[in-house]
Amino acid sequence: MPAQPLSSTTSHQARKILVTSALPYANGSIHLGHLLEHIQTDIWTRFQRMQGHTCYSVCADDAHGTPVMLKAQQLGITPEEMVAQTRAEHHQDLLDFHVNYDNYYVTHSDENKVLCEEVYTRLQAAGYISQRTISQLYDPQKNMFLPDRFVKGTCPSCKSEDQNGDSCDVCSATYDPTELINPRSVVSGATPVLRDSEHYFFDLPQFAGMLQDWLKSGAIQIEMANKLQEWFEKGLQQWDISRDAPYFGFEIPGAPGKFFYVWVDAPVGYMASFKNLCDRQGIDFDEYWAKDSSAELYHFIGKDITYFHCLFWPAMLEGAGFRKPTGVNVHGFVTVNGAKMSKSKGTFIKGRTYLNHLNPEYLRYYFASKLSDAVSDIDLNFEDFAQKVNADLVGKVVNIASRCASFINKRFDSRLSNTVLEPALVAEFQAAQTSIADAYEKRQYSKAIREIMALADKANQFIDANAPWVSIKDPSKLQFTHDVCSLGLNLFRLLMIYLKPVVPALAQQAEQFLNDSLTWSSLNETLKDHEVNSFKALLQRVEMDKITAMVEDSKENLAPTKTVDPNSPLLKDPIAPIISFDDFAKVDLRVALIAKAEHVDGAEKLLRLELDLGGECRQVFAGIKSAYQPEDLIGKHTVMVANLAPRKMRFGLSEGMVLAAGPGGKDLFILEPHAGATAGMKVK
């Protein structure tokens, strides 16, 4: 069933549509999981524009929150600087995948601040905002309240260690961070303490009836609407919309030191990005966001953020007097070769890494061939990926043009015949526009692709049956050959119109070759006595060696340490030269808190650590990158040689040595002292 009420694609009545994608967070790169959504959105908006509808699409970088603030601190720059850099990177990556938003903005903007304050003040005036004091975990070293994900400890349910502050990865239990056993701050490693703070709450329960009606209206896939019923069964709770300083975000009006929670200003960022576009292009903002708007509003999102978009967001809009979404289109996650994306396997692939090796249209086509209107995960199987692109796009569609173009260019002065050899075949291709348009409209891209490829098969069968490479040798059949190749290129043209939302760059090349604009309204036209341009290769085959290289470039450094030469004297006498106890006593081993950890540009094995010895900080470069991510080390304790002479490296000065054990590679362990150890303690 469709995810929302749909207008007829056969109607000539123009629609006004606004489309958004979920906002990429401004503390990391775009990866293939993000791209599934952006490509899905872009295909739908391109199709709507081809239908003649007014369709705007907007997106932005999600800039606010504690993670952005802390990462900027680690980088030694302001959050604004980091957000600006990340936004530029994200936008360029999306453009290079031919994802073309009318506006790609940022939530840290004047428009978003004004709109957030307007939404809040309207909610407050209507009686939907309340205040009360709550107890939260507080980092006494960093002087900050800790978000759930910045607290780790032992799961109160299954007793698994090193679990996040809101849920357990082992038993899937959810809990309040105050329930954790032996909690610690991820930011500093300190033991958090409970402190009271006044917070601001949005009264979500007042909107329960409205939300139930909206969910049953067809605005969201039925399986997600059913899943959201769990929230109603438990009873909707008031939603905490405030965070305490220090926090990178917008301060709440009339509440010094209190900031809007990022999930307040992030969805309002959709409005702000569109407002910025409206102000620049003279578009009527209210025509799309006013409560009585007749325009259509669609959000494309991943299933992990459904409750924000389908409970909190429509309730905020309703309470503040704005319109609600026409539909929220939810998709699943991306798996690679049947498994969750993995950095160690090289299947956690950044968009830029992909672009360094492969044509973006391959991915656009493959995702389209897999996507439906369901919430199913999409598996990117590399062998299937190569086979599908090579067989479909190259072997079927482009092959039609390459088989016919050389005869038209060389023997018929690059001009198509004035005769349509098989009108019934052309009519069959043209008649498919209704069902293909319906599939695109309902986001059933895989269905559209199957139908388009079935037509491509028929075009190739027509060419095979009439064999122009044979008839061209018979002077009496020149006109027949001309008619066959001309019809072949007309069928190719129709296929490329259907595929244009999916592979816009390939369609643009086809337009240049055909000397024609590929528009949906021209589907019922046939090119006769029409001049085409010289044919150039439109698309290369996917080569597996390029896929392999992309995977290798995506792998973390997992190279094992060098093995010892079997003839080495170390194997014969593995004990190092004996030293005296007095010599050993000179080694000063200290417990150190890992205050910071980060990658070292240009280094394959090193991480840069800042070690807190209890008041004194040391910089140490450690060859442990094969086993640890920097974020996993922050807050841990380790043992270091504190009196080792500083060593100047090309990356900087290393002021000590971290002790680790294990054979190497992933099996490399920083030794964590007992729970009672404190930074600076001597190891005896």
Side-chain angles (χ1 to χ4, degrees):
M1 293 182 65
Q4 65 278 318
L6 300 168
S7 301
S8 172
T9 56
T10 58
S11 170
H12 294 292
Q13 183 176 358
R15 297 154 60 189
K16 292 186 176 181
I17 307 170
L18 175 59
V19 180
T20 77
S21 298
L23 313 182
Y25 200 46
N27 72 337
S29 298
I30 294 286
H31 56 70
L32 298 193
H34 295 122
L35 284 163
L36 175 73
E37 178 175 303
H38 293 285
I39 289 171
Q40 182 189 35
T41 307
D42 189 69
I43 291 172
W44 200 77
T45 56
R46 287 179 184 272
F47 165 74
Q48 298 298 345
R49 291 164 187 157
M50 288 185 74
Q51 296 298 294
H53 304 310
T54 299
C55 184
Y56 297 110
S57 63
V58 297
C59 195
D61 256 30
D62 184 1
H64 291 152
T66 303
V68 166
M69 178 183 73
L70 293 177
K71 184 170 182 180
Q73 289 176 5
Q74 288 181 349
L75 295 173
I77 58 178
T78 66
E80 291 85 354
E81 289 173 324
M82 192 186 89
V83 166
Q85 293 171 9
T86 308
R87 180 204 164 276
E89 175 196 319
H90 287 174
H91 193 200
Q92 191 59 56
D93 285 350
L94 292 170
L95 287 173
D96 289 347
F97 275 94
H98 311 312
V99 175
N100 192 13
Y101 291 105
D102 292 289
N103 196 36
Y104 191 84
Y105 206 39
V106 65
T107 58
H108 190 68
S109 68
D110 292 339
E111 294 90 344
N112 203 24
K113 185 175 187 296
V114 169
L115 283 165
C116 282
E117 292 176 353
E118 181 178 355
V119 168
Y120 173 78
T121 53
R122 288 188 184 187
L123 293 174
Q124 188 179 48
Y128 298 127
I129 302 295
S130 60
Q131 298 163 239
R132 69 174 182 268
T133 298
I134 63 171
S135 295
Q136 288 180 284
L137 292 179
Y138 183 85
D139 187 325
Q141 288 190 14
K142 290 293 185 179
N143 297 316
M144 62 181 289
F145 286 98
L146 294 168
D148 296 352
R149 287 278 165 166
F150 283 83
V151 183
K152 286 200 172 186
T154 301
C155 171
S157 180
C158 72
K159 305 302 186 287
S160 296
E161 296 182 354
D162 203 35
Q163 296 305 307
N164 290 319
D166 56 355
S167 62
C168 177
D169 290 337
V170 178
C171 71
S172 299
T174 58
Y175 39 75
D176 189 273
T178 57
E179 298 177 71
L180 278 175
I181 302 169
N182 297 325
R184 72 174 189 281
S185 166
V186 173
V187 183
S188 70
T191 300
V193 296
L194 275 176
R195 284 200 182 176
D196 290 344
S197 176
E198 186 177 58
H199 273 233
Y200 291 71
F201 291 83
F202 171 56
D203 199 357
L204 185 65
Q206 290 198 48
F207 297 89
M210 179 278 292
L211 288 170
Q212 286 281 29
D213 292 341
W214 182 74
L215 290 171
K216 293 173 184 175
S217 70
I220 182 173
Q221 291 104 313
I222 191 165
E223 61 263 46
M224 297 310 298
N226 291 338
K227 179 70 175 173
L228 288 169
Q229 290 304 311
E230 296 174 4
W231 286 72
F232 295 91
E233 292 165 5
K234 295 176 182 177
L236 296 180
Q237 303 295 312
Q238 290 189 333
W239 181 38
D240 188 347
I241 62 168
S242 61
R243 293 296 184 266
D244 292 280
Y247 192 81
F248 181 53
F250 296 137
E251 198 167 51
I252 297 175
K258 305 292 181 179
F259 293 80
F260 287 120
Y261 174 41
V262 63
W263 269 107
V264 174
D265 69 69
V268 176
Y270 299 140
M271 303 172 75
S273 183
F274 186 61
K275 183 67 166 64
N276 178 261
L277 179 69
C278 290
D279 291 345
R280 289 189 286 109
Q281 296 191 3
I283 303 166
D284 186 348
F285 176 84
D286 291 336
E287 189 173 9
Y288 289 82
W289 285 101
K291 197 169 185 68
D292 60 354
S293 170
S294 60
E296 300 168 50
L297 170 64
Y298 299 99
H299 300 305
F300 284 75
I301 64 165
K303 61 185 178 182
D304 55 325
I305 54 175
T306 303
Y307 59 99
F308 286 113
H309 284 80
C310 297
L311 295 178
F312 305 145
W313 177 230
M316 284 171 56
L317 290 168
E318 178 77 8
F322 291 101
R323 58 88 46 81
K324 295 185 293 294
T326 310
V328 178
N329 303 320
V330 186
H331 62 80
F333 297 143
V334 173
T335 59
V336 179
N337 292 336
K340 184 179 178 181
M341 291 193 294
S342 163
K343 292 181 179 179
S344 63
K345 294 178 181 177
T347 56
F348 190 95
I349 298 169
K350 295 179 180 179
R352 184 53 53 185
T353 307
Y354 176 99
L355 291 167
N356 289 339
H357 296 277
L358 295 168
N359 186 324
E361 305 246 278
Y362 298 158
L363 189 68
R364 289 181 65 102
Y365 179 76
Y366 189 76
F367 278 161
S369 74
K370 293 278 188 175
L371 275 164
S372 69
D373 58 347
V375 195
S376 310
D377 292 347
I378 303 296
D379 185 49
L380 172 56
N381 179 284
F382 288 135
E383 290 188 5
D384 182 52
F385 169 81
Q387 189 277 333
K388 187 176 289 289
V389 171
N390 290 340
D392 290 1
L393 281 186
V394 181
K396 293 181 181 179
V397 178
V398 171
N399 189 48
I400 298 169
S402 62
R403 296 173 89 184
C404 298
S406 60
F407 297 118
I408 296 294
N409 287 147
K410 295 176 182 177
R411 301 297 297 272
F412 304 107
D413 298 324
S414 295
R415 185 166 290 275
L416 302 183
S417 166
N418 199 30
T419 301
V420 178
L421 191 62
E422 291 192 17
L425 183 59
V426 174
E428 182 183 356
F429 273 56
Q430 293 169 334
Q433 63 185 277
T434 302
S435 57
I436 291 173
D438 187 60
Y440 274 131
E441 174 70 37
K442 295 176 180 176
R443 304 182 324 283
Q444 296 170 352
Y445 302 161
S446 56
K447 181 179 178 182
I449 294 298
R450 286 194 300 273
E451 189 162 353
I452 295 167
M453 288 306 132
L455 294 174
D457 285 335
K458 291 186 177 182
N460 279 291
Q461 290 163 8
F462 163 77
I463 296 169
D464 289 338
N466 291 285
W469 51 90
V470 175
S471 61
I472 192 71
K473 299 174 183 177
D474 186 343
S476 67
K477 292 186 176 181
L478 280 181
Q479 185 60 50
F480 174 78
T481 305
H482 193 191
D483 293 343
V484 168
C485 292
S486 298
L487 182 57
L489 291 184
N490 266 292
L491 298 179
F492 167 73
R493 172 183 173 273
L494 295 174
L495 294 171
M496 286 310 307
I497 292 175
Y498 292 141
L499 285 169
K500 189 174 181 179
V502 178
V503 283
L506 180 62
Q508 187 175 34
Q509 291 177 270
E511 286 177 326
Q512 185 175 3
F513 160 60
L514 292 170
N515 192 27
D516 184 47
S517 295
L518 302 179
T519 64
W520 205 273
S521 59
S522 68
L523 276 166
N524 294 324
E525 300 172 5
T526 306
L527 300 182
K528 295 187 289 185
D529 192 25
H530 174 85
E531 186 176 2
V532 298
N533 293 312
S534 296
F535 180 78
K536 298 176 182 177
L538 299 177
L539 195 67
Q540 302 299 319
R541 290 174 57 83
V542 180
E543 302 295 342
M544 284 303 297
D545 60 342
K546 292 186 177 180
I547 294 177
T548 301
M550 175 186 68
V551 171
E552 287 300 315
D553 279 2
S554 300
K555 283 183 180 178
E556 291 185 337
N557 179 27
L558 297 176
T561 53
K562 292 182 179 179
T563 56
V564 179
D565 184 338
N567 298 316
S568 169
L570 286 175
L571 293 180
K572 299 173 184 176
D573 184 15
I575 305 301
I578 299 295
I579 62 171
S580 69
F581 183 85
D582 289 340
D583 288 332
F584 176 75
K586 296 176 183 177
V587 180
D588 186 6
L589 300 179
R590 298 284 179 117
V591 175
L593 171 71
I594 303 175
K596 286 187 179 180
E598 58 189 26
H599 293 290
V600 179
D601 289 340
E604 291 184 0
K605 301 179 181 180
L606 296 179
L607 294 179
R608 189 185 80 84
L609 309 178
E610 285 188 21
L611 303 179
D612 185 352
L613 290 169
E616 177 189 2
C617 275
R618 300 276 191 89
Q619 173 176 270
V620 172
F621 292 91
I624 56 173
K625 188 175 179 180
S626 62
Y628 292 97
Q629 283 295 301
E631 58 267 25
D632 295 332
L633 291 172
I634 298 172
K636 289 186 180 294
H637 287 85
T638 188
V639 175
M640 72 171 293
V641 180
N643 63 336
L644 188 67
R647 179 186 175 195
K648 187 171 179 59
M649 307 176 70
R650 67 187 181 96
F651 309 103
L653 191 68
S654 188
E655 302 170 298
M657 177 182 290
V658 169
L659 298 190
K666 287 187 293 184
D667 298 321
L668 191 63
F669 307 102
I670 287 185
L671 302 180
E672 186 146 10
H674 64 84
T678 59
M681 179 184 291
K682 262 202 159 189
V683 179
K684 299 182 179 180

